[in-house]
């Protein structure tokens, strides 16, 4: 396996830091942090370059808070400057290397492989009804907080041998226990941590229909007993190689009797509908906009994300009931 060297010099160039800053500010240009950065943008970029070059960069103090929807999670937030820019600078260089490791049915935080690509691939697999009779659905217990730093570092070193890059990554990894939800780098660390499990499932266990979105996994097969057997092997791999634990609520069920609740949709062989919570949120949003008397382009913009959800499911009745006469 090819290992990459001489990456640090590319990460810390002024040119790469400028691109990284541009990427980091997307959807954040009106925030106080970005406005403060812009007061001395060129000087700040040069200071960051020198900080990295001298290897004096240290992860800033995290701002920690809890969100409760869609489920309770502890979020770790770092300052825009210098941390978020540094993370983007790293990924500008490392993303192509790491993405090349991912199997085609790994999704989440990968370009052109979001929720709707995952949905499309599952729908395509389900057209083969004879081979997709049963579904196994599993996920990892407290995935991000449970990621082992030593194991993550070993995985990273399978492709990266640049000493300075590894020191920079190690410093970020060791800045907090586990892998913090909220870090830009964390989503890539998460995918990377499970990527060799993906290869084990596809190549050693030879499971044809396997889909992973973050730590949520779906398997489709014609034989329930085979899924039960493979589940034991997957659990052993997670336990012994990754120091992770499956949630106890894993399920194996016939799809004809019970649809697959995954990535915000409820999916079976013949139709796809929105998950109940997303449907309810959509209806509440529509009612709120209607109550305010909002129409036209503003209405469309406010509902754009929900329209994307509706577009990829069999949701015409829902759409027609609530917004047909307005949009």
């Amino acid at each position: 396996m090819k290992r990459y060297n001489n990456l640090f010099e590319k990460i810390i160039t002024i040119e790469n830091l400028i691109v990284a800053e541009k990427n980091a500010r997307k959807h954040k240009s009106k925030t106080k942090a970005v406005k403060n950065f812009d007061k001395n943008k060129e000087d700040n970029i040069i200071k960051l370059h020198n900080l990295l070059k001298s290897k004096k960069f240290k992860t800033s103090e995290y701002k920690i808070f809890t969100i409760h929807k869609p489920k309770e999670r502890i979020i770790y937030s770092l300052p825009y400057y210098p941390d978020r820019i540094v993370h983007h600078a790293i990924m500008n260089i490392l993303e192509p290397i790491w993405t090349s490791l991912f199997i085609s049915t790994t999704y989440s935080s990968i370009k052109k492989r979001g929720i709707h690509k995952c949905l499309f691939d599952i729908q395509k697999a389900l057209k083969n009804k004879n081979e997709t009779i049963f579904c196994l659905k599993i996920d990892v217990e407290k995935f991000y907080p449970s990621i082992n730093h030593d194991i993550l570092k070993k995985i990273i070193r399978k492709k990266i041998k640049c000493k300075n890059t590894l020191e920079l990554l190690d410093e970020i990894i060791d800045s907090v226990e586990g892998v913090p939800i909220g870090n830009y780098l964390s989503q890539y660390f998460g995918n990377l941590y499970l990527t060799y499990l993906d290869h084990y499932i596809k190549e050693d266990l030879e499971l044809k229909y396997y889909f992973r979105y973050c730590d949520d996994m779906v398997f489709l097969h014609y034989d329930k007993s085979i899924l039960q057997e493979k589940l034991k092997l997957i659990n052993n791999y997670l336990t012994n190689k990754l120091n992770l634990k499956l949630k106890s609520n894993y399920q194996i069920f016939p799809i004809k009797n019970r649809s697959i609740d995954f990535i915000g949709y409820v999916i079976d062989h013949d139709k796809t509908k929105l998950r109940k919570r997303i449907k309810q949120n959509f209806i509440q949003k529509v009612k709120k906009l209607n109550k305010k008397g909002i129409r036209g382009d503003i209405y469309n913009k406010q509902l754009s994300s929900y329209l994307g959800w509706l577009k990829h499911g069999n949701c015409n009745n829902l759409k027609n009931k609530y917004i047909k006469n307005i949009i």
Side-chain angles (χ1 to χ4, degrees):
M1 180 183 290
K2 181 179 178 180
R3 298 176 70 222
Y4 291 82
N5 201 1
N6 302 318
L7 299 171
F8 188 72
E9 293 77 11
K10 298 176 182 179
I11 291 171
I12 69 170
T13 63
I14 296 291
E15 293 78 11
N16 186 49
L17 293 176
I18 290 172
V19 174
E21 191 279 324
K22 183 179 178 181
N23 292 336
R25 71 164 51 225
K26 288 179 180 177
H27 312 298
K28 296 179 176 65
S29 59
K30 295 182 180 180
T31 62
K32 183 178 180 180
V34 174
K35 289 179 179 179
N36 286 337
F37 174 86
D38 285 345
K39 292 175 182 178
N40 297 287
K41 181 184 287 190
E42 292 183 6
D43 287 345
N44 285 332
I45 290 292
I46 293 171
K47 286 178 183 178
L48 181 53
H49 166 74
N50 291 331
L51 187 68
L52 290 164
K53 186 177 181 179
S54 62
K55 295 194 284 187
K56 293 180 180 179
F57 170 82
K58 299 293 180 184
T59 298
S60 303
E61 184 176 349
Y62 286 93
K63 179 182 178 182
I64 304 172
F65 57 95
T66 302
I67 62 170
H68 300 278
K69 291 184 179 181
K71 59 182 179 181
E72 187 169 302
R73 285 181 174 178
I74 299 174
I75 304 298
Y76 292 74
S77 177
L78 285 171
Y80 176 76
Y81 176 83
D83 300 84
R84 293 188 65 84
I85 297 173
V86 169
H87 289 201
H88 278 270
I90 291 169
M91 288 313 305
N92 285 348
I93 307 303
L94 298 191
E95 183 177 15
I97 298 171
W98 287 346
T99 300
S100 69
L101 288 171
F102 301 150
I103 65 170
S104 61
T105 53
T106 293
Y107 311 88
S108 177
S109 307
I110 305 171
K111 290 177 181 177
K112 298 183 179 180
R113 282 202 247 166
I115 286 173
H116 296 129
K117 177 64 169 84
C118 180
L119 175 65
F120 174 83
D121 290 345
I122 292 174
Q123 289 172 326
K124 183 178 179 181
L126 287 170
K127 290 179 180 178
N128 191 342
K129 294 185 179 181
N130 292 332
E131 290 190 15
T132 58
I133 297 171
F134 292 94
C135 172
L136 165 63
K137 188 170 180 286
I138 62 176
D139 62 327
V140 178
E141 185 173 300
K142 297 180 180 178
F143 173 55
Y144 282 104
S146 300
I147 289 178
N148 181 283
H149 289 188
D150 290 336
I151 295 172
L152 176 59
K153 290 175 185 178
K154 287 179 182 178
I155 291 172
I156 289 171
R157 281 159 172 76
K158 289 185 177 183
K159 291 295 286 184
I160 308 297
K161 65 178 180 180
C162 174
K163 181 182 176 182
N164 289 336
T165 299
L166 291 172
E167 288 178 355
L168 177 59
L169 290 171
D170 288 352
E171 193 282 328
I172 294 171
I173 290 168
D174 290 334
S175 63
V176 68
E177 290 185 9
V179 167
I181 298 173
N183 265 8
Y184 179 66
L185 268 174
S186 294
Q187 50 198 326
Y188 294 95
F189 286 154
N191 264 335
L192 194 62
Y193 199 77
L194 295 177
T195 194
Y196 292 102
L197 169 66
D198 294 338
H199 286 279
Y200 172 71
I201 288 168
K202 293 292 287 186
E203 296 154 18
D204 294 351
L205 301 187
E206 298 182 328
L207 284 168
K208 181 179 180 181
Y209 296 122
Y210 162 61
F211 310 89
R212 177 172 68 79
Y213 194 93
C214 191
D215 63 305
D216 292 328
M217 301 168 232
V218 161
F219 307 78
L220 308 175
H221 206 277
Y222 61 86
D223 190 326
K224 182 177 181 179
S225 63
I226 289 178
L227 287 177
Q228 291 171 329
E229 174 190 339
K230 303 298 186 183
L231 174 60
K232 293 177 183 177
L233 296 172
I234 292 166
N235 194 28
N236 286 339
Y237 188 104
L238 284 165
T239 302
N240 298 325
K241 292 186 178 293
L242 297 178
N243 199 30
L244 295 174
K245 182 180 179 182
L246 280 182
K247 284 185 181 177
S248 59
N249 62 347
Y250 66 85
Q251 308 155 17
I252 301 178
F253 55 89
I255 297 169
K256 69 176 182 179
N257 294 338
R258 178 181 171 187
S259 301
I260 306 164
D261 189 343
F262 188 54
I263 56 169
Y265 289 96
V266 180
I267 317 159
D268 62 29
H269 287 107
D270 301 312
K271 64 181 181 297
T272 300
K273 301 206 172 170
L274 288 184
R275 181 178 287 163
K276 183 178 179 181
R277 175 179 54 78
I278 295 174
K279 176 183 174 181
Q280 290 173 338
N281 289 344
F282 161 70
I283 294 171
Q284 290 174 2
K285 183 72 173 180
V286 169
K287 289 181 176 179
K288 185 177 179 180
L289 292 174
N290 290 346
K291 188 176 181 180
K292 291 182 176 180
I294 296 173
R295 297 289 185 271
D297 290 342
I298 298 176
Y299 193 94
N300 290 342
K301 187 176 181 180
Q302 291 284 321
L303 284 178
S304 60
S305 61
Y306 288 108
L307 294 176
W309 285 96
L310 293 167
K311 178 182 177 182
H312 292 87
N314 303 110
C315 305
N316 282 338
N317 289 339
L318 178 64
K319 182 177 178 180
N320 290 338
K321 181 177 180 180
Y322 286 97
I323 59 178
K324 179 180 180 182
N325 297 324
I326 298 174
I327 297 181

